[in-house]
Amino acid sequence: MFKHILVPTDGSPLSESTIARAVSFAKDAGARITFFYAQPDFPMPIYGEGALIDPTTPEQFGKAAADEAKRILDAAKSAADGAGVTADTDTIVNEVPYEAIIDAAERHGCDLIFMASHGRRGIAGLLLGSETQKVLTHSKTPVLVYR
């Protein structure tokens, strides 16, 4: 049924367990995976009373973010390779992760987004603004939520 699955990851323990489950799901379905990581952009410094000055340059920040993306995506791809599942990786810089996830699914022609949810409810879920909830709300691609 599903042939190409987008699996967003952020390197968290929950994402790592989701990767393992997504690889198993893809293997059973005979699907391939694209693992995706949305890199943060350099935060704009805010100056004023009580402001902290970050000595990191935009270039240093970008390199560190790209290195982190590579580490996370290489680990995910290794998990897929070990299970015999065809997998690719993709990353872009975007401050709005849910939009980057939806764009990546469309760009790669994925027919399913397989992603984690922390399962926050009530005020915590409302205030923290789940990226998964935003993907569910805005994506035209089906989303499978793993919790």
Side-chain angles (χ1 to χ4, degrees):
M1 179 175 188
F2 298 110
K3 297 297 174 201
H4 190 179
I5 303 168
L6 184 79
V7 181
T9 182
D10 63 7
S12 67
L14 178 61
S15 268
E16 290 174 10
S17 68
T18 302
I19 287 167
R21 185 62 189 112
V23 167
S24 175
F25 181 86
K27 184 172 182 140
D28 291 346
R32 64 189 174 114
I33 294 176
T34 296
F35 293 106
F36 178 74
Y37 179 83
Q39 294 179 48
D41 199 1
F42 184 75
M44 293 302 296
I46 298 172
Y47 299 103
E49 189 174 325
L52 298 175
I53 297 176
D54 184 355
T56 306
T57 66
E59 293 77 18
Q60 291 170 322
F61 184 89
K63 182 177 179 342
D67 290 347
E68 180 73 355
K70 181 173 178 5
R71 182 190 65 77
I72 290 168
L73 293 171
D74 285 352
K77 185 163 180 351
S78 290
D81 291 346
V85 174
T86 301
D88 293 310
T89 63
D90 183 26
T91 184
I92 61 165
V93 175
N94 190 317
E95 275 302 305
V96 187
Y98 86 89
E99 288 178 355
I101 292 165
I102 292 169
D103 290 345
E106 292 172 0
R107 189 171 61 252
H108 292 285
C110 296
D111 52 11
L112 179 69
I113 300 171
F114 190 117
M115 63 189 302
S117 172
H118 290 279
R120 293 186 184 102
R121 294 190 178 131
I123 297 297
L126 180 65
L127 294 177
L128 293 174
S130 162
E131 294 304 317
T132 302
Q133 183 62 41
K134 292 173 189 169
V135 171
L136 282 165
T137 303
H138 295 92
S139 179
K140 294 177 184 161
T141 304
V143 180
L144 190 155
V145 179
Y146 176 72
R147 220 168 63 162

